[in-house]
Amino acid sequence: MQQYITELFTTYEQIAFLLSILINILISVLGVVPSVFLTAANLAVFGLWEGLLLSFIGEAAGAVVAFYLYRKGFRSMTERKLSHPKVQKLLRAQDREAFSLILALRLLPFVPSGLVTFVAAIGRVSLLVFAVASSLGKVPALLIEGYSVYQVINWTWEGKVIVTALAVVLLFITWRRLRK
C-alpha cells in the first residue's frame, strides 16, 4: 500500500500534499485502517520533518472531520448501549476532564484512535476541546511512529533493531497462540 501511495504522490507531485491530507481524512473516517503506510509514504516522498508535519496535519484534520461526521451520524446512540465504565466516563466528560481524557487516550498506543474519536463524538465534549486535545496527543505518538518508520525505510541500525524487536514480539505472540 505504501508503494502505491508513494507512486501516486510522485505522479501527482503538484497536489501530493493535498492527496496525503485527503487520504488521511479518509483513514480517520473509516476508523479501523492504520495510517502507518501513509506516514511511510509521506516520509519517503517529503523527507523526515516535512513528512511528519504533513502526517500530523492530515491526522489532526482527519480526527476533526471524523468527529464531526460521527457526531452527525451516531449522536442518537444512547449511553445505555455503551455501558463500559471507561466509555461512560468519556461520554459524560466535558471541558477540562474531557480534554485530559482525550489527551491521555491519544498518548496510549494500544487505544484505537477511531474508538476515541467515536466515543468523544457521541459524548458531550465540544469540537474545539476534542480538536486541541486530540492534536496534542497525536504529536508524541506520531514522532515515535515517524522516527521508527524513517529508520526502517533507511535501513539504519536503529531500523534493524526495530524490525528485529517487532519480529521477536510477533514470534512470541504466534508461539503463545499455538501453545493454546
Side-chain angles (χ1 to χ4, degrees):
M1 187 60 128
Q2 182 235 333
Q3 181 72 25
Y4 172 75
I5 293 177
T6 302
E7 289 174 16
L8 182 70
F9 289 169
T10 54
T11 302
Y12 298 100
E13 196 173 327
Q14 273 76 24
I15 60 167
F17 68 95
L18 183 60
L19 288 172
S20 175
I21 292 170
L22 291 174
I23 292 168
N24 227 325
I25 290 171
L26 179 63
I27 288 170
S28 294
V29 169
L30 292 174
V32 293
V33 178
S35 63
V36 68
F37 64 87
L38 181 58
T39 300
N42 284 341
L43 295 175
V45 173
F46 299 103
L48 178 62
W49 296 111
E50 290 85 3
L52 280 174
L53 179 62
L54 187 56
S55 290
F56 172 75
I57 291 168
E59 287 195 24
V64 169
V65 170
F67 178 91
Y68 178 78
L69 292 174
Y70 293 171
R71 178 154 282 179
K72 290 292 180 193
F74 297 106
R75 188 94 191 249
S76 62
M77 181 178 277
T78 65
E79 292 180 11
R80 292 186 317 268
K81 292 182 181 178
L82 296 169
S83 60
H84 193 280
K86 302 267 188 206
V87 172
Q88 286 294 320
K89 189 171 184 173
L90 182 54
L91 278 172
R92 293 188 183 119
Q94 291 179 296
D95 303 325
R96 285 186 185 170
E97 182 184 18
F99 181 89
S100 298
L101 280 169
I102 293 165
L103 180 65
L105 290 170
R106 286 288 192 235
L107 292 172
L108 298 172
F110 53 85
V111 176
S113 182
L115 181 63
V116 175
T117 303
F118 178 75
V119 174
I122 63 171
R124 296 185 179 126
V125 63
S126 72
L127 177 61
L128 180 61
V129 168
F130 172 80
V132 173
S134 180
S135 297
L136 287 175
K138 284 182 179 289
V139 171
L142 190 57
L143 286 173
I144 292 167
E145 177 185 309
Y147 178 78
S148 300
V149 168
Y150 187 78
Q151 297 307 323
V152 171
I153 288 173
N154 291 312
W155 203 237
T156 64
W157 71 269
E158 291 102 336
K160 293 173 186 174
V161 169
I162 292 166
V163 169
T164 303
L166 186 59
V168 168
V169 168
L170 290 174
L171 283 172
F172 178 73
I173 291 169
T174 304
W175 176 74
R176 283 190 67 186
R177 287 190 180 182
L178 289 175
R179 268 187 58 206
K180 291 180 183 182

